[in-house]
Each structure stands twice: as structure tokens, then as C-alpha cells.
């Protein structure tokens, strides 16, 4: 049986439109999904939308549409962005789908029958005009954070999940599985939260109706997190656990999320699963937060970075590259146009772009576009070839850690080695001496062969660029698995090398 890999993004709320922060998470998952496929894994890559709740119900009302109509409209924007960004997700789950509802209700029933869901009373601050409950912490000077009016302490009947019962089991799991919460620096934050004591969790509401009804008590709808988190298993066919995707892919290998929702994924989710007797995910990875030109991204500051606009201006691959290269995954980062343009001009146009233009132009000039046979091997060649397996090993190691920026640094060192190889071997000088024809041929072969492998390595990050590079060498992208093609010597002498167009046009700085 082939190795499996199950990776998920958060499901995004439909009360916001997609921005660069959402794109970041989904792209990171896409890179890992593509890399794992290239390593021979059977990959299930899930994303989707979180569509229920009072906010969506109200926003729809305000616009004179049904909540489902609103969700249909916004979810399409997410879906079309993922297509544009070349995301290779296997499935797209919506919490309004029947398959999700069935799974969530089943889980609710099962935990309730076990006695870990019970009916109680939920007490919090209620804003009557907004019909919204707020926690003490959410209030602004005691008033509703949305409309600024007075709130009252109110009670509502609610179902509770006995989360307190699973405190010790969760602590034991976190201690026994040091990789469960990543980056490791975030583990302590979760440990101290759990050690302070887990309270039972309110998981239903009667104050709105846009949600999944509680089985056998339909005046309640299941409250957001119990609904949303279950997407990770309902998409695989839960409650059918014996066969199909659930049997093949669960437990998830990694849930990739932003640091804002770590607590829900590292505390609520595992306790739900413990109660339901479902194995826990292997890993939850919380990445950092993007600011824009030094400021928090927000609608009121009108600085929300819209991915479609960026794609139009700079192209898909530069955005994919920039987001994963600029900031170590796990840390916060700042998005600035200057940094983006600098990366495009230096790393993309200069480094990888020039290597292909220079080498393909020389093969066309000196060998009429026919790839020569390697013959004379010198130390400088051996050094270049040896750097390939070293780089691949670094990539494998860093991909496991989701250290995308380190993977890209390693690839760019290899690109740098290629450019240095041209300077050291000075093909233009060899070309002047007819006796050096074989040597010149060897240099040209090695340069192209290096780039055949570089194309494989950059493919998870920049799939279109990899295809363009492969097209220059007449290679079919579909047959390019890293697993089968990483060994030196894949290019057959005599094939035609096309003179490459620049991979990335330089951006003039205004
Ligand atoms: O929280 N920087 O959905 P959401 C980096 N529906 N990442 C960012 C970001 C930023 N400035 N802004 C958003 C939800 N993100 C729930 C999740 S999962 C069962 C339910 C990314 O639409 C980041 O991944 O608010 C964050 O976790 C996610 O968007 C929140 O998306």
C-alpha cells in the first residue's frame, strides 16, 4: 500500500472575503501536498468554508438574501482564488453540506449517549438590538463591541460538552507526543492554558437558527466550533470509519492553521475526538500572522491585501514564492510591496531566471540547440553534482518541519552554485578553442541537467515555473516525480533545448 498524507487548512468564514492571510495558509498546504505527492505519497488535501452562525445570518438578512445564498456567493470567491493560485486541493468542504451535517449530528449523538454532552444554562452578556451574546472579555467598556450599546447578563439554555473530564487525558497526550503542537514554542502556551483548568464548553445556541440542528432538540443549533472542527472528519466520510477515505486517510498528518485558532485545534478538537473515541491528529501547526506595511490588516484601515490584485500585477508564482520565502513559517511577518519587488528582481529574475536564459542561449549558440554529451569530468563538475543530493536531503528534512523558507534557501544555494559554475568554467572562453569542444559540451550538459533537477525541486512552490523550465528541455511535467527523477543524468544527450524566454520579467521600481 502506498504511503498516505492528509493535510488540512482551516475552513474560512464566509463573512469575510479572501485576503492574503487566507491565501498564505492554503498555499503553504498546497506546497506540502505537492511535495508529498512528488515523494510518492497518496495525498488528501482539504480546504473549505465555515458557513454557519449568527454573523452570517445577520449579514444575509441585511442584504436581503438567505444565509445559504450569501454562503454560495462568498464560497465561490474562495474556490476561484484557490484555482487561480494553482492550489491542488482534493476536496472542498462546506459546513452547509448534507455530508457534514450528518457527521456532526452523529458525533453529537454519540457523545451525548456517552453522557459527555448535557443540557445546562449558558450565561453571558447579551446585546438585545444585535441579538448577540458576548463574553466578558469581548465587551468594550461593558458595552457591545459591535454597536456600542448596553448589554445585559442573560441566561440561555445550552448543551454543554464535558471538556473538563478530558483535561488529564489531553495533558498526557501533549506530553507523550512532543510534536503534536508545532512550532514547539507554542506548546507551553497551550499547556499552561490547559493546566489552569478546562471548563465545560457551551456547544449549542437557541438565539439564532442558521446552523446544524441539535438531534432531537431542534430549537438548538450546534454552536460554531463543534460544527466547524468536525469538517476534518466529515469530509472523509465520518461516521463511516471502516472504509473509504476515513479508513485510508485519518488521522490527519497535519492541520495547518494560523496562531489565532490554535486553542480550538489543540484543546477543543482533541477533547471532542477523545470523547468520540476517534484517534487524534498527528500534528497541529500554527503559523504566524501577517501585517501589511507594518500595520495590522483590517477593513477599517483599508489595507487588506487582495490576492487577485497581486496575481494580476505580479503573477501567481512570484506570490507563492514570496509568501513562503519571506518569513519563517511559524513566525509573524510583514507584507510590503518593496520586499515583494526585491525578491522578484533578485531571486527570481536574476538568480533562477538568468541561469536558464544564459545556459539555454549558450546551448543554442554553441550547439545549435542540441544537448551535447557529457565527456570530460573535472573536480568542478563533481562538486556541482555532489551538491544535488546534499540539497535534496536538506529539503526533505526541512519539509518535515514545515520550514519552507529553509527549503527555498537550500534550492537557491543550488541555483547559486549553477551560476557560479558558469563563471568558473567560463564557457565563452572554451568556445573559442576547438580543442575544448568536448569540455564545453560537458559544461552545457551539466548546466541543463542541474536545472532539470532544480525544476523538480521548485515545482511544489512554483508549478508554472517548473513547467516552463521543463518545456525548455522538452520534458512532460506530468511524469516528473521527484521520487523517480532525482538521480543525476536524467537528460538524454541530443534532445533539443529551446532558447528560453525570461522566466520572470524584472519589475521597474517607481
Ligand atoms: O477562524 N495572517 O476562519 P477565518 C496570517 N472559520 N494568516 C491569516 C491572517 C493573517 N493576517 N488572517 C487570516 C476561522 N489568516 C474559522 C476556522 S477551522 C475548523 C475554523 C488565516 O476565516 C489563518 O490561517 O477567520 C487563520 O487561522 C485563518 O485565516 C482564519 O480564517
Amino acid at each position: 500500500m502506498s504511503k498516505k498524507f492528509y493535510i488540512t487548512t482551516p475552513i474560512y468564514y464566509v463573512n469575510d472575503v479572501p485576503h492574503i492571510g487566507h491565501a498564505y495558509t492554503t498555499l503553504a498546504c498546497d506546497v506540502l501536498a505537492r511535495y508529498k505527492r512528488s515523494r510518492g505519497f497518496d495525498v488528501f488535501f482539504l480546504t473549505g468554508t465555515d458557513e454557519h452562525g449568527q454573523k452570517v445570518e445577520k449579514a444575509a438578512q441585511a442584504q436581503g438574501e438567505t444565509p445559504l445564498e450569501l454562503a454560495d456567493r462568498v464560497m465561490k470567491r474562495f474556490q476561484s482564488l484557490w484555482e487561480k493560485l494553482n492550489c491542488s486541493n482534493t476536496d472542498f468542504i462546506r459546513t452547509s453540506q448534507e455530508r457534514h451535517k450528518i457527521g456532526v449530528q452523529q458525533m453529537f449523538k454519540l457523545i451525548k449517549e456517552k453522557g459527555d454532552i448535557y443540557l445546562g444554562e449558558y450565561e453571558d452578556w447579551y446585546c438585545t438590538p444585535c441579538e448577540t451574546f458576548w463574553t466578558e472579555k469581548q465587551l468594550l467598556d461593558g458595552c457591545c463591541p459591535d454597536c456600542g450599546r448596553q448589554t445585559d447578563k442573560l441566561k440561555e439554555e445550552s448543551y454543554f460538552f464535558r471538556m473538563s473530564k478530558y483535561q488529564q487525558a489531553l495533558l498526557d497526550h501533549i506530553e507523550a507526543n512532543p510534536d503534536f503542537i508545532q512550532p514547539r514554542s507554542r506548546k507551553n502556551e497551550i499547556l499552561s492554558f490547559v493546566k489552569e483548568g478546562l471548563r465545560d464548553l457551551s456547544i449549542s445556541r437557541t438565539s439564532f437558527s442558521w446552523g446544524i440542528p441539535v438531534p432531537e432538540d431542534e430549537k438548538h443549533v450546534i454552536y460554531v466550533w463543534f460544527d466547524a472542527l468536525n469538517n476534518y472528519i466529515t469530509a472523509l466520510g465520518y461516521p463511516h470509519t471502516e472504509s473509504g477515505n476515513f479508513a485510508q486517510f485519518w488521522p490527519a498528518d497535519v492541520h495547518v492553521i494560523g496562531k489565532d485558532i490554535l486553542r480550538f485545534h489543540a484543546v477543543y478538537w482533541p477533547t471532542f475526538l477523545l470523547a468520540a473515541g476517534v484517534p487524534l491528529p498527528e500534528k497541529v501547526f500554527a503559523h504566524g500572522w501577517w501585517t501589511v506595511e507594518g500595520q495590522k490588516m483590517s477593513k477599517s484601515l483599508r489595507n487588506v491585501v487582495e490576492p487577485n490584485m497581486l496575481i494580476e500585477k505580479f503573477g501567481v508564482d512570484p506570490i507563492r514564492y514570496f509568501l513562503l520565502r519571506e518569513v519563517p513559517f511559524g513566525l509573524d511577518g510583514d507584507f510590503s510591496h518593496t520586499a515583494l519587488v526585491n525578491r522578484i528582481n533578485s531571486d527570481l529574475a536574476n538568480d533562477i531566471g538568468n541561469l536558464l536564459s544564459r545556459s539555454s542561449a549558450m546551448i543554442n549558440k554553441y550547439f545549435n540547440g542540441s544537448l551535447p554529451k557529457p565527456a570530460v569530468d573535472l573536480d568542478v563538475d563533481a562538486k556541482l553534482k555532489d551538491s544535488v543530493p546534499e540539497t535534496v536531503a536538506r529539503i526533505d528534512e526541512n519539509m518535515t518541519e514545515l520550514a519552507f523558507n529553509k527549503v527555498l534557501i537550500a534550492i537557491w544555494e543550488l541555483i547559486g552554485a549553477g551560476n557560479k559554475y558558469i563563471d568558473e568554467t567560463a564557457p565563452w572562453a572554451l568556445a573559442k578553442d576547438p580543442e575544448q569542444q568536448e569540455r564545453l559540451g560537458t559544461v552545457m550538459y551539466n548546466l541543463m541537467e542541474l536545472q532539470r533537477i532544480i525544476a523538480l525541486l521548485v515545482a511544489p512552490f512554483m508549478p508554472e515555473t517548473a513547467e516552463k523550465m521543463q518545456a525548455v528541455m522538452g520534458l512532460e511535467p506530468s511524469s516528473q516525480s521527484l521520487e523517480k527523477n532525482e538521480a543525476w543524468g536524467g537528460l538524454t544527450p541530443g534532445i533539443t533545448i529551446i532558447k528560453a524566454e525570461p522566466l520572470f520579467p524584472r519589475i521597474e521600481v517607481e
Side-chain angles (χ1 to χ4, degrees), residues 154-196:
L154 264 198
K155 279 187 184 168
E156 188 189 31
E157 190 185 79
S158 168
Y159 283 93
F160 282 83
F161 167 62
R162 226 179 276 286
M163 193 157 72
S164 55
K165 181 176 157 189
Y166 293 94
Q167 176 168 339
Q168 196 51 48
L170 178 62
L171 285 174
D172 294 346
H173 183 83
I174 296 174
E175 296 291 8
N177 296 277
D179 287 340
F180 179 58
I181 300 169
Q182 299 239 341
R184 287 199 180 190
S185 53
R186 298 235 166 253
K187 190 173 107 176
N188 288 341
E189 176 187 317
I190 293 297
L191 277 177
S192 56
F193 173 77
V194 180
K195 282 178 185 160
E196 267 175 34

Side-chain angles (χ1 to χ4, degrees), residues 339-371:
L340 173 61
V341 169
N342 285 344
R343 287 259 172 232
I344 294 177
N345 285 345
S346 72
D347 303 7
L348 301 184
N350 273 0
D351 297 345
I352 190 169
N354 267 348
L355 182 60
L356 189 69
S357 316
R358 288 165 91 188
S359 49
S360 69
M362 286 190 287
I363 292 175
N364 275 272
K365 185 169 170 195
Y366 304 138
F367 294 95
N368 246 337
S370 171
L371 185 70

Side-chain angles (χ1 to χ4, degrees), residues 10-13 19 21-22 24-25 50 225 228-229 231-232 257-261 265 287-290 297:
I11 46 170
Y12 303 106
Y13 285 133
H19 59 61
H22 307 123
Y24 182 52
T25 319
D50 190 354
W225 286 101
L229 287 161
N231 89 87
Y232 300 130
I257 54 166
K259 64 178 184 180
D260 54 322
I261 53 175
H265 283 79
H287 66 63
W289 209 240
W290 283 91
M297 209 179 345

